[in-house]
Amino acid sequence: MREIFNEMIKEKMYHYEHESGLNVYVMPKKGFIKQYAMFATHYGSNDSEFIVPGETEITHVPDGIAHFLEHKMFEEEDGSIFEEFSKNGASANAYTNFTTTAYLFSSTDNFYDNLKLLLDFVQRPYFTDENVEKGKGIIAQEIRMYDDDPSWRLFFNMLGGLYHLHPVKVDIAGTIESISKIDKDILYKCYRTFYHPSNMVLFIAGDVDINKVVDIVNNSVKADKRQGEIKRIYPNEPASINKNYVEQKMAVSMPLFNIGFKDYDVGYGGKKLLKKDIVTQICLEILAGRSSDLYEELYNDGLIDSTFDTEYVGEIDHGYSIIGGQSNDPEAVKQAVLDKILKVNSIDDSDLNRTKRKITGRFLKSFNSVEGISHNFITYYMRGINILDYTTTIEEITHEDVLNRFKTFFNEKNCVLSVIKP
């Protein structure tokens, strides 16, 4: 068991690697009432083409299969696993995004029983022709629901504008047509490929006994032989954007907008990616944060309201920034953003230091919640990043880093405006 400690924030976690290759991380939070556990696999909706370890042929699977598999994992021969967690006083859930599928629970009692249950059911898939067909109907309803969600369509329309070929532009749940092609055999193949312990991670936060956790892992996780690397195949995505404007009409009272910037500086993870992530957050805060000149100008002109916000998503193989909200004139907001970017020729000391403090404070606040810690850990882990490197990395960021990011990333040629109009 290896201890990882951050002197600056006085936080530590322990790392244990099981013989199967499963990585286990525990962050003790003495005195916390709630415990939280996440069992996650590096497998998301982007992984629609891959070569199984030991094979040479490319496997292509229908869009939406990672999400479909997540849904089916909760089904047991005798019912739903949710009922078992409820009997133990725990709240269980799961999610699938572009890169990750995670199963989780929170509890205030019976933590170790729930941990055994989590590890057990994720290692015990149960797919039949009948339950797969039933699942198609349920997930088709979910797809229709998201098709009618203006915020969801706004986001994916933006991605469709940013990307020509990359699977990130495809809805995580797939389409009704694509899920119709899923059967139990392809589900089992994807499960065996991506749910091997060596492609997974277990993270736990709370007031727990580390030795008990290790004992449960050793008794519950199958000591499978470590598999080779899964070769994930993604298309050669051009650096350019697909289209600079996307519009859709839906039942909204005021136009919604996302201004997206495509990141073409990709292909790496670890501390380098973490630094880029934080630098981009700093840029967005200086450019369009609540205390920025741009925000005040747009707000006073009646072009934005309190829904105006920013976000950066930086994965190993793709990335994008979003500036969005609602406005009666999204095109004017976009032009104001681009005009302000052109005027950024230097970074003021006070702006940089204030923004660093704000972002650091936001990060540290997440350690007050076992949910916040856990979700941040899994998100960064899948990018090859140690969450405890965050504070030291932010201290290293210079004016030049921020100014260079402004000049190379935020420009009109990689910008898309997605709008949902009434």
Side-chain angles (χ1 to χ4, degrees), residues 172-237:
I172 291 166
T175 64
I176 293 174
E177 181 184 2
S178 69
I179 66 168
S180 70
K181 301 171 185 175
I182 294 172
D183 59 34
K184 75 174 191 300
D185 294 330
I186 195 64
L187 284 174
Y188 274 117
K189 184 167 188 176
C190 289
Y191 178 87
R192 287 191 295 268
T193 301
F194 292 101
Y195 280 67
H196 190 279
S198 60
N199 191 52
M200 301 184 75
V201 61
L202 172 66
F203 181 79
I204 294 165
D207 193 348
V208 301
D209 186 320
I210 297 167
N211 292 322
K212 280 188 179 179
V213 168
V214 171
D215 286 344
I216 289 170
V217 169
N218 287 337
N219 290 326
S220 302
V221 176
K222 299 171 184 175
D224 293 338
K225 181 181 177 183
R226 296 181 187 228
Q227 69 175 12
E229 181 185 358
I230 304 164
K231 184 170 178 56
R232 304 162 198 262
I233 299 169
Y234 304 123
N236 292 320
E237 173 65 32

Side-chain angles (χ1 to χ4, degrees), residues 342-361:
L342 291 175
K343 295 176 182 177
V344 178
N345 295 310
S346 62
I347 304 298
D348 187 77
D349 273 346
S350 60
D351 283 344
L352 179 59
N353 292 331
R354 171 183 53 81
T355 306
K356 278 187 175 184
R357 288 193 299 270
K358 181 175 182 177
I359 291 173
T360 301

Side-chain angles (χ1 to χ4, degrees), residues 369-401:
S369 155
V370 289
E371 294 96 328
I373 297 167
S374 302
H375 285 270
N376 273 346
F377 176 88
I378 294 297
T379 297
Y380 282 115
Y381 178 86
M382 295 302 175
R383 302 170 185 173
I385 295 169
N386 176 355
I387 193 174
L388 293 184
D389 286 335
Y390 197 99
T391 52
T392 53
T393 302
I394 200 170
E395 288 297 311
E396 297 168 358
I397 291 169
T398 65
H399 295 76
E400 290 74 21
D401 293 325

Side-chain angles (χ1 to χ4, degrees), residues 4-5 10 39 42 82 87 91 171 189 210 222 249 251-252 260 331 333 367 369 375 389 393 399 419 422:
I4 305 167
F5 184 66
K10 308 300 181 188
F39 194 20
H42 186 193
F82 283 114
K87 289 176 185 176
S91 175
D171 196 301
K189 184 167 188 176
I210 297 167
K222 299 171 184 175
K249 294 186 183 299
V252 294
E331 290 87 352
V333 177
F367 284 86
S369 155
H375 285 270
D389 286 335
T393 302
H399 295 76
V419 180

Side-chain angles (χ1 to χ4, degrees), residues 279-341:
V279 168
T280 311
Q281 289 184 57
I282 291 172
C283 289
L284 287 168
E285 189 64 38
I286 291 174
L287 173 66
R290 292 296 173 96
S291 58
S292 67
D293 293 340
L294 177 64
Y295 184 94
E296 184 177 3
E297 292 164 9
L298 291 171
Y299 192 87
N300 290 338
D301 290 342
L303 286 171
I304 61 169
D305 57 22
S306 59
T307 62
F308 189 76
D309 206 358
T310 67
E311 180 184 8
Y312 174 67
V313 175
E315 298 290 349
I316 292 173
D317 62 312
H318 71 275
Y320 49 87
S321 284
I322 304 173
I323 299 174
Q326 58 183 18
S327 173
N328 283 318
D329 194 348
E331 290 87 352
V333 177
K334 176 189 173 184
Q335 192 57 53
V337 168
L338 293 174
D339 290 345
K340 184 64 71 172
I341 290 168

Side-chain angles (χ1 to χ4, degrees), residues 39-41 43-45 64-76 80-82 92-98 100-104 118 121-122 124-127 132 135 138-139 142 146 152 172-173 182 186-188 190-191 194-195 200:
F39 194 20
T41 174
Y43 176 46
S45 63
I65 196 165
H67 171 260
F68 197 104
L69 180 51
E70 172 226 312
H71 271 247
K72 301 316 295 177
M73 287 301 300
F74 281 95
E75 289 192 16
E76 303 274 276
S80 170
I81 200 70
F82 283 114
N93 211 335
Y95 66 83
T96 303
N97 59 31
F98 297 119
T100 306
T101 306
Y103 302 85
L104 56 97
L118 176 69
F121 94 84
V122 175
R124 192 181 62 239
Y126 176 68
F127 311 135
V132 170
I138 295 169
I139 294 174
E142 184 177 338
Y146 280 113
W152 194 252
I172 291 166
I182 294 172
I186 195 64
L187 284 174
Y188 274 117
C190 289
Y191 178 87
F194 292 101
Y195 280 67
M200 301 184 75

